[in-house]
Amino acid sequence: MWPLVNLIVALGMLVVLPLGLALLDPAGLRTVRRLWPLFAVPGAVCLWLPRGALATTPACGYALGALLLAGHAAGRLVRGGRAVPAPAEVAALTALACPAVAASALVAERAGYRLLGFDLDILALTVPHFHFAGFAAALVAGLVCRTADRPAARFAGYSVPSGTLLVLAGYFVDDWAELLGALVLTAGMWTVAWLTWRDVRPTVPDRATRALLAVSAAVLVATMLLALSWAVGQATGLPHPDLAWMAATHGLGNALGFALCSVLAWRRLATPGGRSEDKGPGTGALPATWARSRPGRDHSTPIRRP
């Protein structure tokens, strides 16, 4: 299982995250994006090293890059000047903050340190979770929220970050709290899938981009159903997939089918000619940047990592 998890995490660090940053704030994050390989390559390398100082040092390099993103999010929040940011901005801030959570778990796990008392295996699985169910999910939810101007889109903009935060809180409370987070996150992500299929995909003239959006929406329905079944099983004791099976299905599906297809599609939409003219409500031109907000708007059977 762990080689597959490592590959998924490396995909997030080296591909999904830098592609996503270009959709968040190309101007404000220009320097970080140029330097990102200096953070991401050591982060990907440390996954394959034995626990200890040799693995912890490059993991700290990745954490530095993640902290720069979190700092950018904090600055954006202060400059926004709103007590309650718009839903798309909440999603953007969540996307920028999630890599720091993943990096914290990565550094602790590579050092062999049980951060906050969590098993090392749980810390290792927190890394892909906050790259894909954190960064990528919030990123796409925010993009959909800005593109499909309807109540369902605003619900997605708030519910995906809320679900991500509730899942994190569930780590510290119990499995029932984590189940609540999974329910909220699933509702938000299924809304993202529905809006992608209904509002975004039909307005795209390019066949390849439409296909990427269709795959991302369809896969998201299945992967979130798997996540929900696992959370229900953990809380109730009902039979549910083990972690190895979840990594091979939910994890791989989220990484390739949802996250990668989504960022590739939205990058294509952000290029000139990548989207058709306005064809109805919620189908205006895709914002190429989030630099400005629109106003008003089982732990049961541990699987040991080498």
Side-chain angles (χ1 to χ4, degrees), residues 14 25 29 36 56 62 69 93 105 113 119 170 178 202 210 237 250-251 260 305:
L14 298 169
D25 188 351
L29 292 170
W36 191 253
T56 306
Y62 184 72
L69 297 180
L93 295 173
Y113 174 66
D119 290 341
E178 196 169 343
R210 285 201 309 272
H250 168 79
L260 183 60
R305 177 174 182 151

Side-chain angles (χ1 to χ4, degrees), residues 24 82 85-93 136-161 188-189 191-197 199-200 213 266 269 275 281-287 289-290 292-297:
L24 277 168
R82 297 182 58 174
E89 182 66 7
V90 171
L93 295 173
L139 168 72
V140 177
L143 288 169
V144 168
C145 184
R146 284 185 173 275
T147 305
D149 186 13
R150 59 174 64 242
R154 293 187 284 276
F155 168 77
Y158 281 131
S159 60
V160 170
M189 294 310 294
T191 304
V192 167
W194 176 67
L195 291 170
T196 298
W197 186 274
D199 286 6
V200 181
L213 290 169
W266 286 97
L269 288 174
R275 186 178 178 86
T283 61
L286 171 71
T289 175
W290 284 2
R292 293 174 296 175
S293 297
R294 293 191 309 190
R297 296 274 313 175

Side-chain angles (χ1 to χ4, degrees), residues 114-305:
R114 290 166 54 94
L115 181 65
L116 301 175
F118 289 111
D119 290 341
L120 297 181
D121 293 341
I122 300 305
L123 291 174
L125 293 172
T126 300
V127 181
H129 178 82
F130 277 90
H131 276 91
F132 295 100
F135 174 82
L139 168 72
V140 177
L143 288 169
V144 168
C145 184
R146 284 185 173 275
T147 305
D149 186 13
R150 59 174 64 242
R154 293 187 284 276
F155 168 77
Y158 281 131
S159 60
V160 170
S162 298
T164 302
L165 183 61
L166 287 170
V167 169
L168 179 61
Y171 286 9
F172 300 93
V173 183
D174 58 22
D175 289 333
W176 287 99
E178 196 169 343
L179 173 59
L180 174 62
L183 286 167
V184 174
L185 183 59
T186 298
M189 294 310 294
W190 279 350
T191 304
V192 167
W194 176 67
L195 291 170
T196 298
W197 186 274
R198 181 187 182 279
D199 286 6
V200 181
R201 182 188 57 87
T203 70
V204 177
D206 179 65
R207 182 176 301 177
T209 307
R210 285 201 309 272
L212 288 168
L213 290 169
V215 170
S216 70
V219 168
L220 194 55
V221 174
T223 56
M224 292 311 298
L225 184 61
L226 286 167
L228 196 56
S229 69
W230 189 85
V232 169
Q234 285 290 103
T236 64
L238 293 172
H240 59 285
D242 61 22
L243 289 177
W245 201 83
M246 285 293 291
T249 54
H250 168 79
L252 192 61
N254 258 356
L256 295 178
F258 166 63
L260 183 60
C261 286
S262 291
V263 295
L264 290 175
W266 286 97
R267 282 298 300 273
R268 290 172 66 90
L269 288 174
T271 60
R275 186 178 178 86
S276 63
E277 295 299 321
D278 192 357
K279 294 184 179 180
T283 61
L286 171 71
T289 175
W290 284 2
R292 293 174 296 175
S293 297
R294 293 191 309 190
R297 296 274 313 175
D298 167 20
H299 320 328
S300 54
T301 306
I303 303 175
R304 298 299 172 197
R305 177 174 182 151

